[in-house]
Every structure is written in C-alpha cells, then in structure tokens.
C-alpha cells in the first residue's frame, strides 16, 4: 500500500498549515474569552474549502476523499484547538446524509453543511446508554405525516447551534419488531427542543457539549434517514469514519507533543549541555517518535480502506483506535514528564495536549467498546 503523498495531498497539507497559522489563533482567542465557538466558525472552514470534503460537487462539496480530510485533521490536531470538533462533524454528517438519504433529503440538508450556514450534530448517547440501541428512551411516535419526539440526549456536540442533527430514536411504530431504532434529521431549532448548559470538560477547552431535551417535537416522516427501524447501521458506519478522523487529529496532537519536547530538549541547559542529549531524555524522544509514526501509518492504512470501500473498514477503524489511544496518550504523558514541572503548567502547550489526548479514549465510542468490536471480528472472521 503506497503512502507517498501526491502533489494534491501536499497542497492540502500546505493549505491546512496556512489555515492553522492564520485563523486558529483568532478562533482560540474567541473561545478562551467566550467559552464557546465563534458563531461564524463553520463559514471560516467553508471559505478555506474544508467542508464537504468527501461530498460530490453537485451537492456543494469538494469531491475529495477521506485521505485528504485526515491530512487536514492531523494539522488541526497539532494546534490543540477544539475547533477540530465542528470541522469533523459537518464533514461526517454531510457524508452520512449523502450515503443514506434520498435525493430530496440530500439536496435539502447537505448544501448548508458544506457552505457553513448550518452546524451539524450526531445524537445517539443518552443518560443511560452510549452504545446499546435497545436502551434508547428518546421516542418517536407517528402522528399523521409527522413523528412526535420526546426524551433526552446527552453529551451532544454543537447541539444548540443552528443547523441539523441526526437523532436516533426508539420508533414506537416498530414496537415488537426486531429493529426499532429510526434515525431522523432534525432541525435543532424546532419548537419543543431545549438545551442544558455546556458541560465543563477535562480537555477540549470551550467545546459546546450539552444535553438536548425533546418535548412533543414534531418531525416530518420525510426526514427519516435511511430505512425506518434500521437506524443503528447508520450510526455504526458514521462512527467508524469519525474514529479515523479523531485518531488522525490525535496523531497530530502526539506529533505536536513530540515537537514541543524536541524544542525544550534543545533549549533547556543542564550542567552545561542541552537536556535532550542526556540518555534518559533521548530515549524518551525515541519512544515518542516511534509511537507517533506507528499510529500515523495505521491511520493512513485504515483511511485507504475507507476510500477504497473495502470490506472490514469498520473493524479496522476499531483496531486503529485500540492502537492510537494508549500510545498517543503515553506520548503526551511523556511530553509532560519531559518538561518536568513546566509540563504541568498551562504556560506550556504540552499540558493542553495531554488533557485533549484523554478524550479519545471515551468519545466516539470508548476504547473498551472498540476492543470488543476488534476482538469479536477476529474471532468470527473466516
């Protein structure tokens, strides 16, 4: 499998680096002051051709592939900026709607996600479940040409931003049938929808993550995504792609932690010599680099499977997470240790990178769920 970067790939990286240098300082300054995303953030992404990456051009997309998307994800991940989350979400939800939606649904909901005028969300998690569709309590009850939704979703990113979300429900009209999870595209500003305040998170500073409360929310039947009662496969496919994007950004965070440590190791003088040349510290750098490189290569391999639509991509994305979570978290821990007491200070970037790295083990399906997916696939494959 060839991982050599094409001229297009190199141009994408160059563009992403320019975006990170020119736009992210202002974005992060806004987020630090307001503890929220700038209201115009998605339009900034759109201006830089970063939305609709793998959406056909006729629906307002770029018509690129997922490999180019993760190249951008890695560059954004290096900055430690939380703005990577809405970038992921608009791209992944637009692609998901393109894959499962009717022509009418695609034309209605995808272009606003590509031009940045709408914010996307994906909503499965509830107070009592994060992975089991049988435990869903957000109900959808048929009423004429509509469904009435009641219940609560938890930890939903960008939920209170104007735009559309894919919400997974227990479809009461399918009661007694083997599958009763139906996915609806919901206008998040619909009457009857309210939100909690933001959750205060360990990392991902300024992330807009909250609960969503549905009280007799009316959603047209035409907004069903995919087939009624068969919403869970939509979630599984979406989250497999989300894992790859998340891991790519995490690799970027690990690369940044390594680079910060190299810089510190050359600048900090101990006993008349740069600290990094002491054997213990040089060994740490060697370990950090090999861990980052291993995760990057598996990430590239996995996204190639996604772009080539190869069977087994979903399990491969779980294997990627099984590797990436502990290795990059350890890289970021080593970076903090490399900096000594300074690494525990918010004045140094490695502190933020470490906190951000911790989210990858519990968000977009936990590490343990992914071990189960990968392990069961190994046992059952023929």
């Amino acid at each position: 499998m060839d991982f050599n970067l094409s001229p297009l790939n190199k141009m994408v990286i160059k563009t992403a680096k320019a975006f990170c240098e020119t736009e992210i300082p202002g974005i992060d300054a806004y987020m630090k002051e307001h503890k929220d995303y700038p209201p115009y953030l998605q339009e900034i992404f759109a201006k830089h051709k970063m939305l609709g990456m793998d959406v056909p051009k006729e629906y307002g997309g770029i018509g690129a592939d997922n490999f180019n998307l993760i190249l951008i994800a890695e560059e954004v991940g290096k900055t430690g900026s939380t703005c990577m989350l809405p970038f992921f979400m608009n791209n992944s939800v637009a692609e998901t709607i393109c894959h499962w939606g009717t022509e009418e649904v695609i034309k209605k909901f995808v272009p606003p996600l590509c031009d940045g005028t709408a914010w996307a969300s994906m909503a499965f998690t509830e107070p009592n479940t994060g992975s089991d569709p049988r435990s869903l309590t957000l109900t959808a009850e048929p009423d004429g040409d509509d469904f009435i939704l009641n219940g609560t979703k938890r930890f939903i990113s960008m939920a209170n931003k104007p735009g559309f979300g894919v919400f997974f429900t227990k479809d009461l009209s399918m009661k007694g049938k083997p599958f009763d999870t139906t996915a609806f595209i919901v206008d998040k500003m619909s009457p009857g929808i309210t939100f909690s305040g933001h959750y205060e998170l360990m990392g991902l500073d300024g992330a807009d993550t909250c609960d969503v409360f549905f009280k007799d929310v009316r959603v047209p039947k035409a907004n069903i995504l995919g087939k009624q009662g068969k919403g869970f496969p939509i979630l599984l496919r979406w989250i497999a792609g989300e894992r790859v994007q998340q891991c790519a950004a995490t690799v970027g965070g690990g690369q940044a932690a390594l680079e910060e440590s190299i810089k510190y190791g050359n600048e900090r003088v101990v006993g008349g010599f740069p600290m990094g040349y002491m054997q213990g510290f040089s060994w740490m750098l060697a370990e950090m680099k090999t861990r980052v490189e291993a995760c990057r290569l598996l990430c590239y391999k996995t996204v190639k499977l996604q772009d080539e639509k190869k069977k087994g991509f979903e399990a491969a994305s779980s294997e990627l997470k099984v590797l990436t979570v502990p290795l990059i978290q350890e890289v970021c821990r080593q970076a903090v240790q490399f900096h000594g007491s300074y690494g525990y200070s918010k004045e140094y970037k490695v502190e933020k990178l470490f906190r951000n790295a911790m989210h990858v083990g519990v968000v977009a399906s936990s590490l343990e769920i992914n071990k189960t997916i990968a392990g069961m696939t190994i046992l059952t494959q023929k």
Side-chain angles (χ1 to χ4, degrees):
M1 189 171 286
D2 183 9
F3 294 139
N4 290 324
L5 298 180
S6 69
L8 174 60
N9 297 149
K10 293 177 181 178
M11 183 183 72
V12 167
I13 293 174
K14 183 178 179 180
T15 301
K17 286 181 182 292
F19 169 84
C20 292
E21 291 173 0
T22 60
E23 300 287 358
I24 283 186
I27 292 169
D28 281 356
Y30 181 98
M31 293 182 69
K32 184 175 181 179
E33 179 180 356
H34 298 277
K35 299 186 184 303
D36 201 351
Y37 299 110
Y40 47 83
L41 177 59
Q42 296 289 14
E43 295 180 43
I44 294 177
F45 287 133
K47 183 181 74 173
H48 288 268
K49 308 294 184 184
M50 293 170 64
L51 296 185
M53 288 290 294
D54 51 355
V55 169
K57 292 181 179 180
E58 58 263 34
Y59 302 124
I62 303 299
D65 57 21
N66 291 286
F67 187 77
N68 282 300
L69 195 159
I70 68 155
L71 293 177
I72 297 175
E74 184 174 344
E75 293 303 320
V76 177
K78 290 177 184 178
T79 69
S81 176
T82 309
C83 77
M84 65 181 176
L85 297 183
F87 162 66
F88 292 160
M89 196 64 72
N90 264 44
N91 273 291
S92 63
V93 172
E95 191 280 333
T96 296
I97 294 174
C98 279
H99 183 82
W100 296 97
T102 63
E103 186 74 10
E104 181 181 359
V105 163
I106 294 170
K107 288 181 177 178
K108 180 177 180 180
F109 293 110
V110 169
L113 299 178
C114 295
D115 66 20
T117 56
W119 294 66
S121 295
M122 185 69 71
F124 182 88
T125 302
E126 295 183 359
N128 293 314
T129 186
S131 58
D132 183 4
R134 297 169 297 180
S135 300
L136 289 177
T137 58
L138 177 65
T139 59
E141 186 170 9
D143 183 43
D145 290 333
D146 300 329
F147 276 78
I148 307 299
L149 274 56
N150 283 285
T152 301
K153 291 294 183 184
R154 175 146 293 171
F155 294 130
I156 307 305
S157 298
M158 285 71 71
N160 60 7
K161 298 291 186 288
F164 316 110
V166 178
F167 286 79
F168 295 87
T169 70
K170 181 177 289 295
D171 188 339
L172 298 182
S173 69
M174 305 292 288
K175 190 174 182 180
K177 297 183 180 180
F179 304 102
D180 64 359
T181 303
T182 297
F184 290 88
I185 303 175
V186 179
D187 182 341
K188 294 180 289 182
M189 299 296 106
S190 299
I193 295 181
T194 55
F195 312 95
S196 71
H198 295 186
Y199 279 93
E200 293 290 333
L201 304 176
M202 176 183 178
L204 303 177
D205 301 334
D208 175 4
T209 302
C210 61
D211 290 352
V212 188
F213 308 109
F214 286 75
K215 177 64 175 177
D216 297 328
V217 177
R218 190 170 290 273
V219 180
K221 287 183 178 178
N223 284 25
I224 291 176
L225 184 61
K227 293 183 179 180
Q228 187 176 354
K230 296 185 178 181
F232 197 53
I234 296 174
L235 177 74
L236 294 180
R237 182 183 180 277
W238 168 80
I239 208 165
E242 186 76 356
R243 280 193 289 263
V244 179
Q245 295 175 24
Q246 181 192 55
C247 287
T250 302
V251 169
Q255 180 67 41
L258 172 61
E259 291 173 0
E260 290 292 313
S261 298
I262 294 170
K263 178 182 176 183
Y264 187 81
N266 278 311
E267 292 177 349
R268 179 71 189 272
V269 176
V270 178
F273 295 93
M275 184 190 79
Y277 289 85
M278 298 171 68
Q279 186 181 68
F281 291 108
S282 66
W283 283 10
M284 287 175 68
L285 293 175
E287 292 172 347
M288 293 164 72
K289 186 175 190 299
T290 54
R291 286 168 175 150
V292 171
E293 287 294 326
C295 292
R296 179 181 289 115
L297 288 173
L298 188 58
C299 189
Y300 284 7
K301 177 184 177 182
T302 306
V303 80
K304 286 287 188 180
L305 293 177
Q306 183 182 14
D307 281 334
E308 293 167 6
K309 298 179 171 52
K310 292 290 183 63
K311 184 178 179 181
F313 160 67
E314 290 81 359
S317 73
S318 288
E319 293 169 6
L320 172 63
K321 189 154 183 171
V322 168
L323 180 77
T324 301
V325 171
L327 290 194
I328 299 300
Q329 286 180 349
E330 176 61 9
V331 166
C332 292
R333 187 203 66 78
Q334 287 180 297
V336 171
Q337 195 70 21
F338 196 97
H339 283 71
S341 296
Y342 292 108
Y344 200 63
S345 167
K346 289 185 181 292
E347 296 299 315
Y348 282 76
K349 185 178 178 179
V350 292
E351 181 271 344
K352 180 180 183 179
L353 293 170
F354 175 77
R355 288 187 293 109
N356 280 357
M358 298 308 295
H359 97 280
V360 72
V362 294
V363 175
S365 68
S366 70
L367 174 60
E368 291 71 25
I369 287 290
N370 283 278
K371 286 181 178 180
T372 299
I373 294 171
M376 293 303 293
T377 301
I378 293 168
L379 287 169
T380 58
Q381 66 187 0
K382 296 180 180 179

